[in-house]
Amino acid sequence: MTGKRVVITGVPGVGKTTVIEESMKRLAGEGIPYKAINFGTCMFETAKAEGHVEDRDQMRALDRNVQKELQRLAGKRIGEMEGNIIVDTHASVKTPAGYLPGLPEWVLSELQPDMVVLVEADDDQILMRRMGDESRRRDPEGSRSIAEHQGINRAFAAAYAMMTGCTVQIVRNENYLLDHAVEAMTQILR
Ligand code: AP5
């Protein structure tokens, strides 16, 4: 395996995909290429091919064992990739059975990340972004519940660091301050 492997996480709607895309554009301009892999897309491709789901937002409600197998397959595929890789994923996934670790041991050992980055924002701002995005079927959730999820993500990220020795960084993506988030992320990835 060559290059850096950076896992970027955040609760749904925090804007992690937006921050990743903008940061990659800047880095490409500096001659630092990164490839971004969306872990959910990798899982979804298999889940759809096997007839488990029709859209990506149904994956959170799948049987836990099916989700685990989909995670394992995605982890294996991404683990085999070369170069600087960003893995756009979740530290934890809110499922009907509780918080599912996004990177359990068998996924982490395939990925061996150098760093885990948590993208965070104010709970109320995340709620408003979710309400404004009609293209997705978000689980109904209030800002207190979003706050809990962000807290759980920090705890899970600390566990991932203990398991692999990777570092943990936090990037804030506040409303209308996307540039600040992109600047912070670019520095981390450089
Ligand atoms: P995934 O594809 O990651 O979907 P998601 O969690 O719903 O994340 P989104 O991409 O929708 O949100 P985002 O935070 O990237 O925000 P965005 O940039 O779009 O995962 C799909 C599913 O896959 C999961 O639900 C799960 O089931 C599964 N999965 C994934 N990883 C897994 C794992 N490891 N294990 C098990 N299952 C896994 O931005 C949102 C909005 O905010 C946009 O409208 C944007 O314009 C706006 N915005 C962004 N930044 C700002 C700003 N600074 N100011 C104002 N508006 C902003």
Side-chain angles (χ1 to χ4, degrees):
M1 185 179 80
T2 57
K4 260 196 203 168
R5 197 147 294 216
V6 182
V7 170
I8 302 185
T9 72
V11 298
V14 72
K16 62 186 156 48
T17 306
T18 308
V19 175
I20 289 170
E21 283 171 3
E22 290 303 313
S23 304
M24 281 178 54
K25 275 188 217 156
R26 272 204 207 174
L27 288 166
E30 294 176 17
I32 307 173
Y34 266 91
K35 188 168 172 195
I37 308 295
N38 187 298
F39 200 94
T41 302
C42 279
M43 286 179 60
F44 175 59
E45 285 165 1
T46 310
K48 194 167 182 216
E50 293 186 0
H52 293 300
V53 294
E54 279 302 315
D55 83 63
R56 59 200 293 119
D57 289 318
Q58 292 172 332
M59 286 197 296
R60 294 185 292 277
L62 281 175
D63 178 81
R64 222 160 16 119
N65 291 325
V66 176
Q67 288 192 59
K68 284 182 185 171
E69 179 58 8
L70 293 170
Q71 281 178 319
R72 192 186 67 75
L73 292 172
K76 190 167 183 315
R77 248 170 83 189
I78 299 168
E80 287 164 0
M81 295 176 182
E82 298 288 335
N84 291 328
I85 305 278
I86 289 172
V87 185
D88 176 347
T89 187
H90 293 278
S92 69
V93 181
K94 210 171 211 174
T95 79
Y99 289 105
L100 179 81
L103 304 169
E105 188 275 326
W106 60 89
V107 175
L108 270 183
S109 57
E110 298 278 0
L111 290 181
Q112 288 299 331
D114 297 292
M115 190 185 294
V116 173
V117 184
L118 294 158
V119 180
E120 295 184 350
D122 284 355
D123 318 312
D124 292 344
Q125 293 181 3
I126 295 169
L127 183 63
M128 296 308 289
R129 287 178 202 165
R130 286 185 188 176
M131 288 166 72
D133 182 0
E134 286 174 3
S135 67
R136 300 293 299 269
R137 288 197 288 137
R138 307 286 192 194
D139 303 330
E141 225 182 350
S143 56
R144 191 178 292 188
S145 169
I146 293 172
E148 177 186 279
H149 195 177
Q150 293 205 100
I152 293 279
N153 280 349
R154 284 194 180 195
F156 278 33
Y160 300 152
M162 294 300 289
M163 285 165 78
T164 63
C166 70
T167 55
V168 176
Q169 293 261 16
I170 295 174
V171 167
R172 301 282 306 171
N173 180 31
E174 312 293 359
N175 263 0
Y176 312 116
L177 293 174
L178 181 62
D179 265 5
H180 291 211
V182 172
E183 179 56 33
M185 186 68 82
T186 312
Q187 272 190 34
I188 287 170
L189 295 173
R190 214 170 254 136

